[in-house]
Amino acid sequence: MALQKLSDADVKKVLAEQSEQRRNSVQKANELLLLLHQDKDVLIQQKINPLYLWVNAKKHEQEPNLLNKTAKAFMHMDDASMKAGNGSRYALLTYKLLLGAHATAKANALLLKTIENLERYSADTLNANHYADQNMLAYAWYLKYQAEKPADSVKALQYLSKAARCSPATTKEKAHASYYDRVFLHSKESYREEFIERLFNSGDDTQALKVFVDHVNAGLDNIDEITKIV
């Protein structure tokens, strides 16, 4: 039996129903998030607040005062909340909102604070998520590279070098949790290949060689990979 062809009115009705279902789902999710945010349980607060701050900021992304307040909240957030609620992920997402609102100075301050946090978290081998934090640190350095590139390409290359250095070099370092961070942040698994490509296309052979040597000395396990790229 042939399928009945839908009329334009039928198609519009189906699309409208789907759109309404999405709106209802988002509304229910927001209501649940607000309830959890208002919960008095400290552990729930630690897990929910970073996400709540970003979601609320995203709703008001054209309001500089609220974005600045959100950035300040992330910059003063304690380590327990940052770790429990993956605050670094939502701080980086808030950084992007600040850039979109042309709040460059506040965005840069938040990025530097997030980098500082991630450097501590990734260096702590007792931290169960230190590899995921290291991978996120690579992206944070990449954001710093992107921000610096228009004004100072040489200095920017040093930040890209840091992003490459923090990129996972072994399967073990490719933390499973990093997949979800990449989905949210639209980041890449590794910045090593891009670093090597930019390095030898920079035109400044002396500086390129210096940065290359620094990179190799800091990560000898990556020599085989670098050799294949170059």
Side-chain angles (χ1 to χ4, degrees), residues 34-158:
L34 179 60
L35 285 174
L36 292 171
H37 171 66
Q38 295 172 339
D39 196 288
K40 301 302 182 183
D41 188 291
V42 174
L43 293 179
I44 292 179
Q45 285 276 321
Q46 289 175 342
K47 287 181 177 293
I48 291 298
N49 279 355
L51 171 62
Y52 174 82
L53 285 170
W54 169 65
V55 170
N56 189 52
K58 191 170 176 60
K59 290 178 185 176
H60 304 88
E61 57 186 330
Q62 299 303 321
E63 298 179 26
N65 289 338
L66 188 138
L67 291 179
N68 289 339
K69 184 178 178 180
T70 303
K72 186 176 180 179
F74 277 116
M75 292 175 71
H76 291 89
M77 188 173 289
D78 60 272
D79 285 344
S81 297
M82 289 294 290
K83 291 179 179 179
N86 204 349
S88 299
R89 172 202 287 171
Y90 299 111
L92 292 178
L93 287 168
T94 301
Y95 163 81
K96 293 183 177 183
L97 293 178
L98 287 163
L99 285 185
H102 306 291
T104 307
K106 181 63 73 172
N108 185 57
L110 177 58
L111 180 59
L112 290 177
K113 177 59 178 175
T114 306
I115 287 173
E116 177 188 315
N117 288 338
L118 286 169
E119 285 186 323
R120 288 190 293 108
Y121 302 157
S122 61
D124 181 8
T125 56
L126 297 179
N127 171 20
N129 292 316
H130 73 279
Y131 283 136
D133 288 328
Q134 177 181 302
N135 295 342
M136 208 177 327
L137 177 59
Y139 181 57
W141 280 123
Y142 186 76
L143 290 174
K144 186 64 177 169
Y145 155 72
Q146 288 183 313
E148 191 68 32
K149 186 169 56 172
D152 190 335
S153 60
V154 173
K155 190 174 182 180
L157 188 61
Q158 295 172 351

Side-chain angles (χ1 to χ4, degrees), residues 212-227:
F212 180 74
V213 170
D214 288 344
H215 180 72
V216 172
N217 287 339
L220 294 177
D221 291 343
N222 299 327
I223 289 179
D224 289 342
E225 180 180 353
I226 293 171
T227 303

Side-chain angles (χ1 to χ4, degrees), residues 169-202:
T170 66
T171 302
K172 184 179 181 180
E173 292 180 3
K174 297 178 181 180
H176 178 68
S178 293
Y179 169 79
Y180 301 101
D181 293 331
R182 292 197 300 274
V183 170
F184 272 86
L185 296 167
H186 302 291
S187 56
K188 297 193 297 186
E189 186 174 68
S190 175
Y191 296 95
R192 190 166 293 111
E193 184 174 351
E194 182 171 346
F195 164 66
I196 299 299
E197 181 181 348
R198 294 290 184 275
L199 187 64
F200 289 103
N201 289 334
S202 65

